[in-house]
């Protein structure tokens, strides 16, 4: 592997580790300093490795450069000497030299603390996800802009405002107290849930599934599970949900990235190891009396990951949806429920329930109606698919709807 291939790979894995440690060292007030030092470290690697070759231990090289640049910064800048170093020395028992601790334990602790710092309810959810992608996942501004279907300027402004808000509120990079952990944990889980969903149902024009976003959400969630303070049943429920959904990645799209509907997926492509992990985390989530939306969604995903097709499977899914709507109603959840309803009580019953929702601006709504009306009233099915096609935003969704329309019209012409 040459440096042009290795550096982007290391950027994905090591950027977040270095910047989390440096952010903790400098504090949220000086987050730009941490970003600059981390970026300069990778820039120097790109320049040096191209001329002198890749070092024997690239990761250790990056850590050494980051440490040295941080120490050089402390020496050169008076504001740092006057405002940061005194508090750091106080915390480090008056040590003469500032220690840049890039040990595995400190990296892990720093990343966990940064999760809670970034996923703070004082900044909007989109900004939380953006900061998580930038700082905790090492995504570039271009990648974040694509994920949000917007431009770099908008993302830069959004991230700047978020960091400014964290600064003005003097948010500390630390784990919440045990009394506050449950309240703060809810915001963190919401951010990770949204990040996973953006990958699972990608809104970009290029792809229906962005595995890297899903895997980053799972990695960050795993930090919570590894820590005794944050390893709660609800965290395990979200992890179970992510594992079950991820188990069907390879079956959800064809070779050119087009989505494959659930009932048409090749079950042999489902990942049994991830299903087993999902089962493990689902069992862990059952401790205690809490029943969150993540528990119910994980239960639904569990049954979706079952290869057995019978009435019991869909009846369990339907009952879980019923409970989920009582806990946290949303039109999309109600829409998803109608598919399970069709499996249990038939298409005619599902159509009645679906049309009550009247989601006039949602292409999934009309696409579902198209599927429900197929073979009952094909003219209505075609009409609904055509409305769905006009509303669909992504190429993947348009491709699926177009295929449904083509098959339905071909069936109608042959009948």
């Amino acid at each position: 592997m040459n440096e042009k291939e290795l550096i982007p790979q290391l950027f994905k894995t090591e950027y977040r580790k270095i910047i989390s440690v440096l952010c903790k060292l400098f504090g949220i007030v000086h987050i730009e300093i941490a970003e600059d030092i981390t970026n300069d470290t990778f820039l120097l690697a790109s320049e040096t490795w191209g001329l002198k070759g890749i070092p024997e231990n690239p990761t250790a090289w990056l850590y050494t450069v980051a440490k040295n640049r941080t120490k050089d910064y402390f020496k050169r800048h008076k504001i740092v000497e006057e405002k940061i170093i005194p508090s750091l020395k106080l915390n480090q028992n008056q040590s003469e030299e500032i220690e840049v601790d890039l040990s595995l334990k400190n990296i892990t602790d720093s990343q966990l603390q940064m999760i809670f710092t970034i996923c703070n309810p004082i900044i909007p959810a989109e900004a939380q996800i953006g900061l998580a992608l930038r700082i905790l996942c090492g995504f570039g501004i271009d990648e974040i802009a694509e994920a949000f279907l917007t431009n770099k300027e908008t993302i830069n402004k959004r991230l700047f405002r978020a960091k400014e808000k964290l600064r003005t509120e003097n948010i500390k990079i630390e784990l919440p107290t045990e009394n506050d952990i449950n309240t703060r944990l809810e915001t963190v889980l919401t951010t990770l849930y949204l990040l996973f969903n953006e990958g699972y149902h990608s809104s970009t024009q290029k792809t229906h599934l962005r595995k890297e976003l899903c895997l980053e959400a799972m990695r960050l969630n795993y930090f919570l599970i590894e820590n005794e303070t944050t390893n709660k049943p609800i965290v395990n429920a979200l992890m179970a949900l992510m594992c079950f959904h991820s188990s069907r990645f390879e079956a959800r799209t064809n070779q050119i990235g087009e989505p494959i509907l659930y009932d048409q997926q090749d079950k042999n492509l489902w990942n049994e190891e991830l299903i087993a992990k999902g089962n493990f985390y689902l069992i862990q989530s059952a401790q205690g009396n809490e029943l969150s939306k993540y528990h119910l969604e994980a239960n639904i995903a569990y049954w979706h990951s079952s290869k057995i097709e019978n009435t019991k499977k869909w009846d369990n899914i339907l009952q879980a949806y019923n409970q989920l709507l009582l806990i946290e109603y949303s039109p999309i959840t109600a829409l998803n429920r109608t598919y399970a309803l069709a499996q249990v009580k038939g298409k005619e019953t599902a159509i009645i329930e679906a049309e009550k929702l009247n989601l006039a601006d949602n292409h999934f709504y009309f696409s579902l109606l198209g599927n429900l009306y197929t073979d009952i009233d094909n003219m209505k099915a075609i009409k609904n698919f055509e409305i769905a096609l006009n509303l669909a935003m992504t190429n993947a969704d348009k491709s699926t709807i177009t295929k449904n329309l083509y098959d339905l019209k071909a069936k109608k012409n042959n009948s």
Side-chain angles (χ1 to χ4, degrees), residues 206-223:
K206 295 179 181 179
T207 180
H208 175 69
L209 176 66
R210 297 193 64 185
K211 296 178 187 176
E212 73 276 14
L213 294 185
C214 296
L215 294 175
E216 288 297 340
M218 293 175 75
R219 183 185 65 81
L220 295 174
N221 196 26
Y222 190 67
F223 277 133

Side-chain angles (χ1 to χ4, degrees), residues 80-179:
V80 177
E81 184 180 340
E82 292 176 349
K83 295 187 176 181
I84 300 179
I85 287 183
S87 65
L88 288 176
K89 285 185 175 179
L90 184 64
N91 293 333
Q92 297 184 28
N93 300 318
Q94 303 298 323
S95 172
E96 284 303 312
E97 184 169 350
I98 301 303
E99 176 62 29
V100 184
D101 183 1
L102 283 164
S103 65
L104 179 61
K105 184 182 185 309
N106 194 49
I107 287 173
T108 302
D109 290 346
S110 298
Q111 289 185 97
L112 182 62
Q113 290 164 4
M114 281 302 294
I115 292 174
F116 278 91
T117 303
I118 287 168
C119 302
N120 193 302
I122 66 169
I123 58 177
E126 281 191 340
Q128 292 175 34
I129 298 172
L131 279 178
L133 287 173
R134 180 68 181 138
I135 294 175
L136 297 172
C137 306
F139 277 56
I141 299 298
D142 286 335
E143 292 175 288
I144 300 171
E146 182 182 9
F148 283 105
L149 293 180
T150 187
N151 56 55
K152 291 193 296 182
E153 183 181 358
T154 299
I155 293 300
N156 277 320
K157 286 180 179 178
R158 184 180 298 167
L159 298 187
F160 175 79
R161 286 194 295 267
K163 286 186 281 189
E164 194 63 26
K165 183 69 174 175
L166 292 173
R167 261 194 297 263
T168 56
E169 295 291 333
N170 195 27
I171 300 301
K172 301 243 185 307
I173 301 174
E174 60 188 9
L175 276 180
T177 63
E178 197 163 336
N179 292 335

